[in-house]
């Protein structure tokens, strides 16, 4: 957890917190559902977030989808 507001600027800590939360969510959902649930429990927002993450993943890994 974050003890001070400046802790929120530490990318390493933020990633560790995110991974822990996704692992807890992952126990109940598929990987991509977990990504969406991490962002929002509202299905429309979760779906949009998953689409954005998938798009970024494709760009980073240079995956071309036909």
């Amino acid at each position: 957890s974050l003890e001070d507001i400046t802790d929120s600027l530490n990318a390493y800590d933020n990633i560790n917190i995110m991974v822990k939360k996704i692992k807890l969510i992952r126990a109940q959902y598929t990987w991509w559902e977990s990504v969406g649930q991490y962002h929002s429990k509202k299905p429309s927002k979760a779906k949009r977030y998953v689409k954005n993450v998938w798009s970024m993943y494709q760009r980073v890994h240079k995956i071309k989808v036909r």
Side-chain angles (χ1 to χ4, degrees):
S1 72
L2 302 175
E3 294 180 17
D4 185 288
I5 191 70
T6 58
D7 292 341
S8 65
L9 302 175
N10 184 323
Y12 181 79
D13 288 343
N14 284 333
I15 289 170
N16 281 328
I17 290 168
M18 178 192 69
V19 167
K20 287 177 185 176
K21 286 183 179 184
I22 288 180
K23 282 182 176 180
L24 290 173
I25 297 167
R26 181 69 175 95
Q28 298 175 356
Y29 298 93
T30 68
W31 171 248
W32 285 108
E33 288 171 334
S34 298
V35 171
Q37 287 289 318
Y38 170 79
H39 178 70
S40 176
K41 295 204 182 302
K42 186 174 179 182
S44 62
K45 288 185 176 185
K47 185 176 181 178
R48 186 173 63 230
Y49 184 74
V50 168
K51 283 178 68 175
N52 289 336
V53 171
W54 174 240
S55 178
M56 189 179 309
Y57 180 88
Q58 289 173 315
R59 284 194 306 272
V60 167
H61 294 283
K62 297 176 177 42
I63 297 172
K64 295 186 183 197
V65 178
R66 297 178 193 190

